[in-house]
Amino acid sequence: MVYCPAGQARSSERPLDSPSQYASWNGLESPDDFFTSPAAQKGFQEHMQFMAERVNSVNGRVYKEDPAIFSWNLMNEPRYFDNNTACQSQTGTCTNAMQKWIEVSAAALKAADPNHLVAIGSEGFWGTNSPKLDQNPSNGDWAAQTGQNFVENTQAKGIDYAAIHVWPDNWNVPTSYLTEWVTQHMEDARTLGVPLVVEEFGKNVTGHTEQELAKARNPVFQAIFDLLEESIANDDVLKGAQYWMWDPLLVNERSEGWADLNQDQVLPTESTMTDIIAPAAANAAMNKPVVRGCTPKVAPTAPTAAPSDAAATSTAGRKLMMA
């Protein structure tokens, strides 16, 4: 699993670990001030230290020593707000501030936990000084003003691998753009000599009929997992793809929370799962050995009677497959 010490940078709801909350705690004018405020950064680094030393309530291990954790993200999608006028007029100032925040935060997290990998957690936008600026959504306009700069950010000391997100609905881009987005980042990752993971992707559907899945969602998932399988076969840089989202507690209409089923939810019986995700995971498992210490438990024998609601929530034998 991948842990984020901080929530989404753009959230206006002020979850307890977001820049908005740090701004509120420290009397800052804007959540964007989080990235440069010494007081906010002190609190953030203390939070990372706390997380690294937290004890896993399931296995009793301190997080920084827990092999169940694959990696840390510094934050989920760290970026300046789209309407930040300073970033619009002086993009380089925000880009430099974001770079410094990544470098300082990665060093602090590595000091707190030297045992796990660290990635940024960003979408992977290119900055205004990048020759790939026009590869950003909307040809670079708003994306370049977020402060992100993929290559320079990934080169920061303490960042172990490259990670990107891609959201066709949020960015209003066609499925064909996804392939170009990933392949362009693969090109950069080869130059940098680092692995690449597509940390987030998904596709909304207004209904969960097989007709709509086949038309709208499945082509998106197929495009990403085709790239992953090809990369695995050629021992290329793309090493993993993580989709959003799957809630193992949502199985059918009897499941608690079914009424809140999201448009991006992938159900276990849908063709997106059975025809695309599951075969891709099986292919990854065949091509890469299970990491020592992460061997999954043997799944229990399936009951002959219909499972109870409690039994249906069991996670025994489940494992996340990633190349």
Side-chain angles (χ1 to χ4, degrees):
M1 68 181 68
V2 179
Y3 269 110
C4 277
Q8 192 152 323
R10 304 184 316 283
S11 174
S12 59
E13 298 177 358
R14 292 197 308 192
L16 288 178
D17 56 359
S18 72
S20 296
Q21 184 61 74
Y22 282 100
S24 176
W25 283 332
N26 292 280
L28 307 180
E29 292 185 5
S30 164
D32 286 347
D33 295 333
F34 162 84
F35 295 106
T36 54
S37 165
Q41 290 312 299
K42 181 177 183 295
F44 177 62
Q45 292 174 22
E46 290 173 349
H47 178 60
M48 289 194 292
Q49 183 74 41
F50 172 83
M51 291 292 291
E53 295 178 356
R54 186 183 187 275
V55 176
N56 187 323
S57 61
V58 177
N59 61 23
R61 294 183 175 180
V62 177
Y63 275 12
K64 64 182 179 182
E65 299 172 356
D66 193 341
I69 296 175
F70 165 70
S71 174
W72 295 97
N73 273 180
L74 297 180
M75 181 183 291
N76 181 39
E77 300 181 350
R79 51 156 132 154
Y80 285 86
F81 276 80
D82 302 344
N83 60 355
N84 187 308
T85 55
C87 294
Q88 292 172 0
S89 61
Q90 299 180 0
T91 306
T93 300
C94 295
T95 303
N96 293 338
M98 180 66 71
Q99 180 68 21
K100 182 177 180 180
W101 175 81
I102 291 171
E103 293 170 353
V104 171
S105 299
L109 185 51
K110 280 290 188 180
D113 177 4
N115 301 316
H116 289 100
L117 301 174
V118 172
I120 300 167
S122 58
E123 293 96 324
F125 301 134
W126 288 286
T128 53
N129 64 346
S130 171
K132 294 185 177 181
L133 174 64
D134 61 356
Q135 298 291 331
N136 283 330
S138 303
N139 294 320
D141 294 340
W142 65 267
Q145 295 168 10
T146 63
Q148 294 182 20
N149 193 9
F150 176 71
V151 172
E152 184 178 357
N153 295 164
T154 305
Q155 287 178 309
K157 186 176 181 180
I159 300 302
D160 296 300
Y161 62 96
I164 59 174
H165 301 177
V166 56
W167 289 105
D169 294 305
N170 297 359
W171 300 352
N172 193 28
V173 294
T175 300
S176 58
Y177 177 85
L178 275 67
T179 300
E180 185 67 15
W181 178 257
V182 176
T183 55
Q184 289 293 329
H185 284 88
M186 289 177 67
E187 182 180 276
D188 285 343
R190 292 188 200 104
T191 301
L192 295 172
V194 296
L196 173 68
V197 174
V198 180
E199 284 189 331
E200 283 187 25
F201 74 95
K203 176 63 180 176
N204 290 343
V205 289
T206 55
H208 285 261
T209 65
E210 281 303 320
Q211 291 83 355
E212 183 169 1
L213 294 176
K215 179 181 179 180
R217 171 179 287 165
N218 289 357
V220 170
F221 277 64
Q222 194 67 66
I224 296 295
F225 282 113
D226 281 350
L227 288 168
L228 176 60
E229 292 196 28
E230 181 180 4
S231 179
I232 291 173
N234 296 325
D235 196 24
D236 207 343
V237 293
L238 183 60
K239 300 299 184 183
Q242 302 168 172
Y243 67 93
W244 184 270
M245 58 175 286
W246 177 49
D247 185 340
L249 300 185
L250 291 181
V251 179
N252 54 42
E253 290 84 351
R254 296 169 55 216
S255 304
E256 182 179 355
W258 183 262
D260 298 324
L261 182 69
N262 290 326
Q263 292 180 324
D264 52 13
Q265 180 80 43
V266 178
L267 299 175
T269 55
E270 291 178 341
S271 58
T272 312
M273 176 69 75
T274 60
D275 299 349
I276 301 174
I277 299 171
N283 177 69
M286 287 190 300
N287 283 275
K288 295 292 182 180
V290 175
V291 177
R292 186 175 62 182
C294 295
T295 303
K297 295 179 180 178
V298 177
T301 303
T304 55
S308 65
D309 288 343
T313 65
S314 172
T315 58
R318 184 182 295 132
K319 80 172 173 179
L320 171 68
M321 293 307 306
M322 188 174 77

